[in-house]
Amino acid sequence: MRKKKLEPFTIVSIVGVGFFMVLCVVPFWMIISGSFTAESKLATTGYSLIPQPFSTAAYEMIFTGPTVLEAYFASIFITVVGTAMSLAATSGIAWVIARRLPGISRPIAVFAYLPMLFSGGLVPLYLLVTQYLHLQNSYFAVILPLLVAPFLVFIQVSAFRQLPEAILESARIDGAGEWRIFFRIVLPLSKPILAVVGLFYAVHYWNEWFTALLFITDVHKYPLPLLLQNLIQNVSFSQMLPTTAGQSPPVYQLRLALTAVTIGPILLAYPFAQRYFVKGITLGATKG
Amino acid sequence: MSALQTREVRRAASKPKPAAPPRRQKPLRGNLWVGLLALPAIAFFVVFAYLPMVGLVVAFKEFNVADGVFGSPWNGLDNFRYFFSSGEAGRILLNTLLLNTLFLAATLGAGITLALMLNEIRGRFFKRVAQSTIFFPYFVSPIVISIILQVLLAGVGGSGGAVNDALAGFGLPTVDWYTQPGPWPWILTVVKVWQMGGYLSVIFLAAITSIPEEVYEAGSIDGASRAQMAWRITIPLLRPTAAVLLVLGVGRIFYGDFGTIYAIVGDNGTLFPTTDVIDTYVFRSLRQLGDFGTTAAVGLFQSVVGFILVTAAVLIQRKYAKESSVL
């Protein structure tokens, strides 16, 4: 099977994959490089591959004013609290479904999967959150509508079902209650899948801007993506940001710097986290 | 079928009841006790999935905030009539179907191609780095994608742009991308391929890995080249997996990818003729016109047609899933 000789198709493959890799890397490099390039150059070329002339003006602005730090706080709050709540809710329902309890598990499974087939849509959700729950300008308006993703429940159910029954049985014989089994045995044994599901939720919350766009109007509560969107769509928004000694702010550079700051955490965590994502998708795709 | 089985199990379990009544009670109470773990998620689904379904009655009402969802007067099918006679309905539905078809075909094609190519790479380190790299765009916010596109097509300040510089470098005329609706279906397709190609390649690669090695050994004994093996062995064996993904994609064809399209196009009206889909239309009429009734009617129409398509897709998918090694 293994041949030492390189076949044409293998060469084409290496070139093809390499090309796609370049396409995936270059845009991010342009963002990062551009964010360190002086405004005067960005205004004429619109992008930059080499940060020349070098400038950190945008980053200085970002980290001295409160606006971006507030947005960072909002995003971190939504991500951390949201992921914790989502993990708790998802593990709970997934365990109940995975247990195959007669008369309980199946109705709950149908109940959880049905919303994947039919949804009420945007308008009822909007009315619910704004008119009845009154969650406008609360971080929970971003967290709660996304709390449980049926797809991730599905992944976790199939992972729970792979736990060795013998361990659970022996715990039962030793007299452990159901909750104790769940918290002391099931959850600690499921750390890898909890990491996978938690990471999916975390990325989702970090990137979420649609619910924020709908429900958050107070600038001081904007999460990062929403702040970024406002900065792209209207230049005058940058007037909100602090200026140094009456100079006009480097708007274009600021856009790129804010983008870099938004993808930064994902970019940093990615090398450590990516194998979990691959595992998660493979697990979700493989027949449980 | 499983419901039947469950019922049988329950019946069987209840049979020894007269023999040992105290033992019977404990497991049931235990079960309900475990069931409590599902309570937070159930509360979520009731409030954020099932209540909005009830809220869809707004589609048949002349909604006003003061009277609320249930107090507002009914107006029959007026909201639906208004949308379908607005002249925009045809364009929006067509865009939704057209764009999603393009996205589906292109992303599946790219996913399979990338998986085949990744499968050829023998160096383990390079393969891992390659896979991680092409998977990365999947994790990027649509807003960030929209900035990237701006940098490439128009320059971050609205002048220049990398693509136009490249065009000029080859002596080609530059294009004012954000004022030309024509190329946008293709631009969005490229964006989707960029975003989803790596993700789908992971799924297809998992399917390729599950193909037994002997099949390739037989091929190599018969003197097949790597390309022939990819074309004649791998691709035919990937067909069930691709069919499942295709069917699921067709099931969701009525739901546009709101996030990506709205983040990129926003309220740029010049691009609407080719990029406005149901989701973006719904969002705009809700935010800008505050027309809850019509918007809910469009949403209901989308949900009903979507439900029919998804249900049909799931039924067909079950048929294919038997043959597919994954999904």
Side-chain angles (χ1 to χ4, degrees):
Chain A
M1 165 80 204
R2 262 171 167 267
K3 285 185 187 171
K4 285 278 173 277
K5 192 172 72 95
L6 272 184
E7 291 201 29
F9 183 60
T10 310
I11 297 167
V12 169
S13 296
I14 292 171
V15 173
V17 170
F19 177 68
F20 203 87
M21 283 169 76
V22 170
L23 287 188
C24 292
V25 170
V26 167
F28 297 107
W29 172 247
M30 280 180 168
I31 298 285
I32 292 165
S33 157
S35 69
F36 284 108
T37 308
E39 180 83 347
S40 56
K41 184 176 179 223
L42 287 176
T44 54
T45 58
Y47 71 103
S48 102
L49 283 172
I50 307 140
Q52 278 294 340
F54 189 81
S55 154
T56 55
Y59 287 102
E60 280 160 30
M61 261 178 76
I62 283 181
F63 290 109
T64 50
T67 314
V68 176
L69 294 180
E70 278 168 356
Y72 238 103
F73 174 76
S75 277
I76 290 171
F77 182 90
I78 289 168
T79 306
V80 172
V81 176
T83 306
M85 289 172 65
S86 289
L87 262 184
T90 306
S91 323
I93 196 170
W95 177 241
V96 175
I97 295 175
R99 279 289 313 274
R100 301 188 211 260
L101 300 169
I104 296 178
S105 297
R106 202 164 167 82
I108 289 183
V110 173
F111 186 78
Y113 297 149
L114 207 64
M116 287 207 284
L117 301 181
F118 190 86
S119 84
L122 185 60
V123 176
L125 178 71
Y126 182 79
L127 292 176
L128 175 76
V129 174
T130 58
Q131 304 290 321
Y132 293 91
L133 302 176
H134 301 289
L135 284 173
Q136 297 104 310
N137 286 326
S138 158
Y139 297 141
F140 288 99
V142 182
I143 295 174
L144 292 178
L146 305 169
L147 194 67
V148 183
F151 169 70
L152 294 175
V153 173
F154 187 65
I155 286 189
Q156 214 167 352
V157 168
S158 64
F160 278 155
R161 284 194 174 148
Q162 285 164 13
L163 288 178
E165 188 61 32
I167 298 181
L168 306 177
E169 202 49 53
S170 74
R172 247 166 244 144
I173 289 166
D174 288 347
E178 290 290 348
W179 280 53
R180 198 189 179 92
I181 292 175
F182 179 68
F183 286 108
R184 289 294 179 81
I185 297 173
V186 175
L187 288 186
L189 281 178
S190 306
K191 270 183 205 145
I193 189 66
L194 289 174
V196 173
V197 172
L199 281 168
F200 268 104
Y201 276 122
V203 170
H204 207 106
Y205 281 121
W206 184 261
N207 285 336
E208 181 59 27
W209 65 286
F210 173 52
T211 43
L213 183 66
L214 277 176
F215 302 125
I216 295 189
T217 47
D218 178 358
V219 181
H220 300 291
K221 298 210 157 171
Y222 276 5
L224 272 175
L226 191 58
L227 186 72
L228 193 56
Q229 196 230 2
N230 270 275
L231 200 63
I232 314 170
Q233 300 220 318
N234 78 60
V235 176
S236 62
F237 185 79
S238 59
Q239 255 74 65
M240 306 263 334
L241 297 160
T243 46
T244 38
Q247 289 172 328
S248 63
V251 182
Y252 308 141
Q253 196 191 353
L254 210 57
R255 287 178 180 173
L256 297 179
L258 203 53
T259 312
V261 162
T262 307
I263 41 177
I266 297 184
L267 207 57
L268 291 178
Y270 188 68
F272 309 101
Q274 67 87 20
R275 67 195 174 93
Y276 287 109
F277 287 117
V278 173
K279 200 168 153 192
I281 297 177
T282 318
L283 196 73
T286 317
K287 278 186 202 167
Chain B
M1 202 180 93
S2 297
L4 260 176
Q5 284 173 345
T6 330
R7 232 168 281 144
E8 272 165 41
V9 171
R10 274 168 76 191
R11 215 173 293 142
S14 58
K15 262 179 192 162
K17 198 178 176 184
R23 272 189 65 86
R24 171 77 189 111
Q25 264 188 348
K26 199 193 164 204
L28 183 69
R29 211 188 294 148
N31 287 352
L32 284 177
W33 192 232
V34 189
L36 283 181
L37 286 170
L39 219 52
I42 289 176
F44 160 79
F45 282 116
V46 168
V47 175
F48 288 98
Y50 290 94
L51 277 185
M53 290 184 199
V54 179
L56 275 172
V57 293
V58 173
F60 304 98
K61 292 194 164 210
E62 198 180 325
F63 180 80
N64 63 71
V65 175
D67 291 334
V69 171
F70 298 103
S72 297
W74 297 92
N75 69 353
L77 295 175
D78 281 3
N79 292 326
F80 293 89
R81 248 176 246 130
Y82 177 78
F83 171 64
F84 284 105
S85 59
S86 68
E88 294 187 88
R91 188 196 70 191
I92 290 160
L93 295 181
L94 194 70
N95 278 344
T96 307
L97 293 178
L98 201 74
L99 284 177
N100 278 324
T101 309
L102 268 179
F103 293 169
L104 192 58
T107 51
L108 280 182
I112 294 179
T113 314
L114 282 171
L116 285 177
M117 288 177 159
L118 280 170
N119 189 46
E120 285 305 305
I121 294 172
R122 293 287 149 210
R124 284 189 123 229
F125 180 73
F126 179 59
K127 190 174 173 178
R128 268 210 5 231
V129 171
Q131 203 176 12
S132 312
T133 313
I134 63 178
F135 192 17
F136 185 70
Y138 177 76
F139 299 103
V140 171
S141 164
I143 298 289
V144 171
I145 294 181
S146 129
I147 286 254
I148 290 174
L149 216 51
Q150 224 179 46
V151 167
L152 289 173
L153 295 178
V156 70
S159 64
V163 170
N164 276 340
D165 273 9
L167 285 177
F170 287 111
L172 295 164
T174 60
V175 182
D176 202 355
W177 298 101
Y178 282 86
T179 60
Q180 307 271 331
W184 278 89
W186 307 108
I187 297 174
L188 292 176
T189 306
V190 171
V191 169
K192 287 305 280 186
V193 165
W194 184 78
Q195 193 184 25
M196 298 300 293
Y199 175 85
L200 287 168
S201 78
V202 172
I203 293 181
F204 281 115
L205 204 57
I208 292 179
T209 317
S210 70
I211 297 174
E213 193 74 0
E214 297 89 66
V215 186
Y216 292 101
E217 270 163 33
S220 113
I221 289 168
D222 289 345
S225 70
R226 300 287 313 166
Q228 279 172 322
M229 284 197 271
W231 186 250
R232 304 213 177 236
I233 298 176
T234 317
I235 290 187
L237 287 173
L238 282 181
R239 214 177 283 150
T241 306
V244 170
L245 287 173
L246 183 71
V247 166
L248 290 178
V250 170
R252 295 205 62 84
I253 210 159
F254 238 60
Y255 299 92
D257 177 2
F258 172 83
T260 312
I261 295 181
Y262 189 76
I264 293 169
V265 177
D267 300 324
N268 181 356
T270 28
L271 302 183
F272 288 169
T274 57
T275 59
D276 207 13
V277 292
I278 300 176
D279 290 304
T280 50
Y281 175 83
V282 163
F283 181 74
R284 270 204 330 278
S285 30
L286 177 67
R287 284 307 297 277
Q288 291 170 0
L289 312 174
D291 185 352
F292 292 96
T294 313
T295 314
V298 181
L300 178 58
F301 173 71
Q302 182 189 29
S303 292
V304 170
V305 179
F307 175 70
I308 295 169
L309 288 174
V310 173
T311 313
V314 169
L315 293 178
I316 300 172
Q317 177 249 347
R318 286 217 176 137
K319 203 175 139 235
Y320 280 107
K322 281 177 195 147
E323 298 164 40
S324 164
S325 56
V326 298
L327 288 158

